[in-house]
Amino acid sequence: MNSVASPSDQARRDQAFESLLLLRRKSNVRRSAYYFVLLALVVWSIQVTIIDDTDWERMGSLGAVLKSAGRFIGVDIGLFPSLLVPAIETLVIASLGTILGVVICLPATWFGALNITPFKSVTYPLARLMMTLSRSIHEIVWALFFVAAVGLGAMAGIFAIAVRSVGFIAKMSAEAIEDINPGPVEAIKATGANTLQVVIFAILPQVLPQILGTVIFEWEINIRRSAILGLVGAGGLGLVFFRQMHTFNYHGVTSVIVAILALILIGEVVSHYVRKSII
Amino acid sequence: MGVFVFIVWGIEYLDIPLDRLFGMFGRMGSTLANRYYPPDIEYIIDADYFQYVIETVQMAYLGALFGLALTLPLGWFGAYNVTPSRRFVYPVARFATMGFRAVHEMIWAILFVSILGFGMLAGVLALTFFCAGFAGKLLAEEIEAIDMGPVEAMKATGANLFQVVIWGVYPQIRVAFTGIGIYTWDVAFRAATVVGFFGAGGMGWYLKRNVQQIETERVAAILLSIVALVIVSEIVSAWARARVMKMK
């Protein structure tokens, strides 16, 4: 069977090789077309957003820009003592918001996990809609809405954060529940348990670490969010930031940013240890 | 139990008027029904508004792109296993990533507006920093999880730093990086819809103007358009992610 290739064989092989080359050339052409389109998009976007829309005259030379950036260098040390209370406020708003968010999440998660949702055709899309709505509206917008509904103050901030975190927590939790091992669920159902018992004894033990991890992660993000809600009247560090900015106390602005960084650092350390102790 | 105590203490500390809570839902319902309904759809079906939407998309695109470009060195330097110097470069890169991420995109926007003036340049830069912090962390974690075998092998052949990164690290994170890129775009677009709130360009400016003029029906329409756009962008990115996963 290992005879010399006949001429027709050779021709066939050549043909196959040719078509392979052609295919490769085609995909190369397509790839460069992709890159070209991407590049054109970049150039167009730069043209519209950066070159046309910027008031270069007003911005002045590079030196002027550096000078106005330089105003922020320096920390107003005297401001720090008065930052303590707003910082704690920010932390508490973030924590309470996360807790309330978890409470709101319970139905959303239950309805949003395909394997335990009660009326698949109604509740599943409803939960998905809730999650998308919660995630797609920015926290500033939620805060504006709640400030209009419940008035200025920390409450609006808590609600805004709670509603905003529902989407992420519920989505991750629902996905965790969809991935569980169905064995224990079947086993507990076979003993005649009702739905609630199935959830408590078969589902929760399997997903609790994952859900707690998600909640901690969201809490960390919420600190960052609650630090700016004061910009629209929901208390905390954002309010101080706003005031410092409006009184042109640029060093004070830097101090507030330093305080926010410190808070985030604390949040990161706490969440690191909590997550380690869970897993 | 501890959580309960914390809730009570927190409510006490923040001085939250609980009695308002009970009237809240009724008031929210009537606010929504009387003031935000019906949304003024005509206001958003408008060439001017559409142009702002396009600008928002462009701003998010550029912000995500520049942010990802910044992410490459940040992720490389901030990954413990491949960083050029564990003692100096690694902590600096980690701290920069954390700082970029910790400062909210709104604060970046305000800072850049105050430095560069109103306009989309400030928005693009705010999104760039925000995306760099966000994607930098994900990328560094992804790089830390790679298989070190090829990297060691490359080093053994005498490859220099860049060669190791390009031929040993990059092929392993290519797909993950694409996924991060898509995710970053998603997040950047959501942020881009509101950075205009403080003068950094895009549709946020429309939102701010109408909020301040208490044109609630227009605000409702704008919010609806934001939700619709975000859903569209989510569908597109889900499709893109599915394609990337198939390439894996």
Side-chain angles (χ1 to χ4, degrees):
Chain A
M1 294 321 260
N2 49 6
S3 62
V4 182
S6 66
S8 71
D9 247 11
Q10 185 64 41
R12 210 180 302 140
R13 228 174 275 166
D14 279 354
Q15 212 176 359
F17 187 63
E18 281 289 304
S19 67
L20 203 69
L21 271 186
L22 196 70
L23 205 69
R24 183 177 258 188
R25 214 171 299 142
K26 237 187 213 163
S27 85
N28 269 350
V29 165
R30 190 187 284 170
R31 184 174 285 179
S32 19
Y34 276 143
Y35 283 135
F36 184 74
V37 169
L38 275 180
L39 194 72
L41 270 177
V42 173
V43 171
W44 179 52
S45 304
I46 289 179
Q47 171 69 31
V48 170
T49 62
I50 297 182
I51 296 176
D52 284 355
D53 194 60
T54 308
D55 192 349
W56 294 102
E57 281 256 307
R58 232 189 109 209
M59 207 163 95
S61 62
L62 186 65
V65 171
L66 285 180
K67 206 175 136 205
S68 47
R71 290 178 307 193
F72 288 99
I73 298 173
V75 179
D76 187 352
I77 305 222
L79 197 68
F80 279 120
S82 57
L83 282 182
L84 187 65
V85 173
I88 296 176
E89 245 176 54
T90 296
L91 210 57
V92 175
I93 290 176
S95 311
L96 286 182
T98 313
I99 293 170
L100 185 64
V102 171
V103 173
I104 303 175
C105 267
L106 293 176
T109 309
W110 178 30
F111 289 167
L114 259 182
N115 47 354
I116 55 166
T117 186
F119 311 101
K120 208 169 269 180
S121 53
V122 185
T123 51
Y124 180 72
L126 188 76
R128 286 280 144 173
L129 182 75
M130 259 173 91
M131 292 176 203
T132 311
L133 215 61
S134 144
R135 277 183 314 142
S136 60
I137 299 182
H138 198 269
E139 51 264 28
I140 289 268
V141 178
W142 278 122
L144 282 171
F145 176 70
F146 281 110
V147 165
V150 302
L152 295 170
M155 193 146 95
I158 292 173
F159 276 104
I161 283 189
V163 172
R164 168 79 178 184
S165 30
V166 165
F168 184 70
I169 302 179
K171 188 170 181 235
M172 299 310 268
S173 314
E175 274 166 16
I177 290 177
E178 280 171 7
D179 284 342
I180 58 167
N181 176 4
V185 178
E186 294 295 319
I188 289 187
K189 256 189 204 158
T191 64
N194 61 27
T195 317
L196 190 68
Q197 286 167 327
V198 168
V199 167
I200 292 176
F201 293 109
I203 297 178
L204 265 189
Q206 291 193 52
V207 294
L208 204 56
Q210 226 170 326
I211 291 181
L212 276 181
T214 310
V215 171
I216 294 287
F217 183 72
E218 189 70 15
W219 174 71
E220 211 184 303
I221 298 176
N222 280 343
I223 295 178
R224 179 173 172 274
R225 287 181 182 149
S226 74
I228 56 134
L229 287 182
L231 292 176
V232 288
L237 277 174
L239 192 61
V240 186
F241 181 88
F242 200 54
R243 270 193 223 133
Q244 297 297 326
M245 200 75 206
H246 274 226
T247 50
F248 304 109
N249 184 8
Y250 294 108
H251 288 185
V253 171
T254 313
S255 314
V256 177
I257 292 178
V258 169
I260 292 176
L261 280 179
L263 266 192
I264 303 273
L265 201 61
I266 293 172
E268 217 155 274
V269 170
V270 169
S271 91
H272 179 79
Y273 281 104
V274 171
R275 224 175 307 165
K276 222 178 204 174
S277 69
I278 292 172
I279 302 165
Chain B
M1 189 60 211
V3 172
F4 186 72
V5 170
F6 178 77
I7 292 175
V8 172
W9 175 80
I11 289 175
E12 191 65 34
Y13 184 83
L14 293 175
D15 202 12
I16 290 172
L18 278 181
D19 48 323
R20 274 205 220 161
L21 201 65
F22 300 110
M24 187 186 87
F25 291 101
R27 200 161 52 241
M28 222 149 65
S30 66
T31 308
L32 272 180
N34 296 336
R35 290 206 268 149
Y36 286 86
Y37 186 86
D40 187 355
I41 299 289
E42 264 168 49
Y43 184 70
I44 57 169
I45 306 178
D46 182 52
D48 239 23
Y49 183 72
F50 189 70
Q51 196 196 335
Y52 271 81
V53 171
I54 297 285
E55 285 178 355
T56 307
V57 173
Q58 287 178 323
M59 204 162 69
Y61 180 64
L62 279 186
L65 199 72
F66 292 163
L68 285 173
L70 252 181
T71 298
L72 289 174
L74 276 180
W76 172 20
F77 295 158
Y80 195 68
N81 49 354
V82 293
T83 183
S85 144
R86 283 186 187 175
R87 189 150 333 140
F88 301 110
V89 178
Y90 171 77
V92 170
R94 270 284 145 125
F95 188 74
T97 317
M98 200 206 85
F100 289 168
R101 196 160 38 95
V103 177
H104 197 273
E105 65 261 25
M106 288 314 220
I107 291 182
W108 281 123
I110 294 172
L111 290 182
F112 280 116
V113 165
S114 95
I115 292 172
L116 300 171
F118 295 113
M120 279 188 280
L121 180 62
V124 169
L125 285 177
L127 290 176
T128 301
F129 277 78
F130 165 61
C131 290
F134 173 82
K137 188 185 180 202
L138 293 177
L139 185 65
E141 276 167 9
E142 204 62 55
I143 293 180
E144 278 174 359
I146 63 167
D147 176 14
M148 284 303 277
V151 176
E152 295 295 328
M154 299 265 330
K155 269 187 195 157
T157 63
N160 67 26
L161 264 181
F162 285 98
Q163 286 168 330
V164 167
V165 167
I166 291 173
W167 305 109
V169 178
Y170 178 68
Q172 293 195 49
I173 57 156
R174 208 173 52 131
V175 174
F177 184 63
T178 316
I180 292 173
I182 295 168
Y183 193 34
T184 305
W185 146 257
D186 230 31
V187 174
F189 182 68
R190 263 174 237 171
T193 54
V194 285
V195 285
F197 213 84
F198 297 103
M203 42 203 287
W205 173 239
Y206 261 77
L207 190 62
K208 166 113 171 180
R209 211 166 54 195
N210 287 301
V211 165
Q212 294 205 322
Q213 292 171 345
I214 326 187
E215 292 274 10
T216 42
E217 287 171 10
R218 290 181 181 176
V219 172
I222 294 174
L223 288 186
L224 280 182
S225 74
I226 290 180
V227 172
L229 283 170
V230 170
I231 289 175
V232 169
S233 105
E234 230 167 67
I235 290 171
V236 171
S237 62
W239 170 80
R241 212 169 300 140
R243 282 210 46 180
V244 169
M245 286 315 247
K246 236 194 297 179
M247 278 197 312
K248 218 176 196 173

